[in-house]
Amino acid sequence: MAPTTVRSWDRRYGLGPTAHTGGRHRRWTAVDVARLERMCALTATGLPPAEAARLALGEEGLQAPAPQVVHVRPPLPVRGRSRAGTGLRLGDVRQECKGVARAALRLDAAALDGLLGAAIEEHGLVAAWSEVIMPTLQAVGRKWETSGERYVEVEHFLSWHVSGVLRRHAPPAVADRPGATTVLACVPGENHTLPLEVLAAALAERGLPVRMFGGALPVESLVAAVRRTGPAAVGLWAQSRTTASRPLAQHVAALEWGVRGARRKPVVLTLGPGWAGQTVPGSPHPSGLAQALTAVESIALR
């Protein structure tokens, strides 16, 4: 924890050490530390600090594993250090977003995994992604864009844990069914796989077979995957306009599979902001996860 946060909570809510000595030292007992840890855990869930402090101070029997006394010396000021408590501009969002954001900023892996898993279990995958995970990811992105190269580690940390939680909560893969399978891949040069991972998990949740090929799939590999799986739909993700390729989408949409006399072609879905302004005839461009799910279901269940 940042020392300024500790001092602020002490001054505002009385969450400091119960014993004081002369000089510049403050003595934290094991119970004091346990109370502070409880405060951290409560604020990580999204509770406002004042409410979290009230609960932490009101709980009885807080115990720490060892009865040792911890000595804390105030640190010397460091030039260029960001102010503690500088949060993300989340706007009007669910309370869970604030908890996820705090855990991500603290680089608290255990708390982040727990909060993400709880959001998926409580709200379902689509709502958790659209109303909790995405707003937090966007806020982190805005933060590092306006802060130079700072906070990049927070975005990478959050994305990694979202990916891990998705894998743990996704149902087992559904067996291929020719004419019903969906192939998902990032276009060449594109490595932002997280939105496709969410879509793959949501399709599996609905019992639809999906084959996920991840980031920057070469064209020849994409063509081979389409011909081998015979998909009803192919989702191509492009985060940037520099990676979106209309000729690629048209080429994949023209691929045929199946026995002679009953050839079929996949429906290509252009996914992601990179396709904005690049209309591909016959290729739907869903605006979000829910719309992509609806489009794939309507294609696969024809």
Side-chain angles (χ1 to χ4, degrees):
M1 289 186 63
T4 49
T5 301
V6 178
R7 288 194 288 270
S8 175
W9 285 358
D10 183 9
R11 185 177 63 255
R12 294 182 181 181
Y13 311 120
L15 278 167
T18 53
H20 294 265
T21 63
R24 293 173 57 84
H25 289 79
R26 298 186 295 168
R27 293 181 178 271
W28 291 75
T29 67
V31 173
D32 293 335
V33 174
R35 188 180 295 113
L36 193 63
E37 289 176 337
R38 181 58 177 156
M39 176 72 170
C40 290
L42 290 169
T43 57
T45 67
L47 275 181
E51 177 66 12
R54 186 184 66 80
L55 293 174
L57 290 168
E59 292 179 353
E60 299 293 336
L62 283 173
Q63 297 294 330
Q68 61 188 8
V69 177
V70 181
H71 302 276
V72 179
R73 180 186 294 274
L76 295 174
V78 179
R79 290 181 179 271
R81 184 167 182 169
S82 60
R83 294 179 57 198
T86 301
L88 303 176
R89 295 182 179 179
L90 290 164
D92 185 16
V93 295
R94 285 183 178 270
Q95 178 173 297
E96 293 94 329
C97 291
K98 299 176 182 178
V100 171
R102 290 189 181 113
L105 287 170
R106 290 174 181 159
L107 304 182
D108 188 335
L112 187 56
D113 278 353
L115 292 169
L116 291 171
I120 292 174
E121 290 177 0
E122 181 175 353
H123 303 298
L125 185 57
V126 176
W129 170 257
S130 303
E131 301 178 26
V132 178
I133 299 172
M134 268 297 292
T136 310
L137 283 167
Q138 290 169 344
V140 172
R142 290 193 298 269
K143 187 71 172 179
W144 74 255
E145 283 177 355
T146 58
S147 305
E149 291 301 314
R150 292 159 53 203
Y151 297 97
V152 173
E153 75 283 0
V154 177
E155 184 183 33
H156 283 234
F157 181 76
L158 177 56
S159 297
W160 173 259
H161 281 273
V162 170
S163 181
V165 169
L166 286 173
R167 289 178 181 273
R168 288 193 292 274
H169 283 76
V174 180
D176 279 327
R177 297 197 303 271
T181 299
T182 298
V183 165
L184 299 177
C186 290
V187 298
E190 183 59 71
N191 288 297
H192 289 78
T193 63
L194 193 55
L196 281 190
E197 294 177 47
V198 179
L199 178 56
L203 289 171
E205 192 176 61
R206 285 159 174 73
L208 293 173
V210 58
R211 293 298 170 263
M212 170 68 168
F213 292 91
L217 187 65
V219 175
E220 57 272 17
S221 301
L222 175 60
V223 170
V226 170
R227 287 177 172 161
R228 289 175 62 183
T229 58
V234 176
L236 298 178
W237 180 270
Q239 183 77 14
S240 168
R241 292 189 181 186
T242 60
T243 59
S245 170
R246 183 183 298 154
L248 172 62
Q250 292 172 329
H251 178 64
V252 174
L255 295 175
E256 293 184 336
W257 57 269
V259 298
R260 183 173 297 177
R263 293 280 188 179
R264 296 183 59 179
K265 298 179 181 179
V267 176
V268 173
L269 286 79
T270 55
L271 306 173
W275 295 99
Q278 296 198 48
T279 302
V280 180
S283 296
H285 179 54
S287 59
L289 175 60
Q291 293 77 12
L293 278 172
T294 300
V296 171
E297 284 182 315
S298 65
I299 295 167
L301 300 177
R302 285 176 182 173

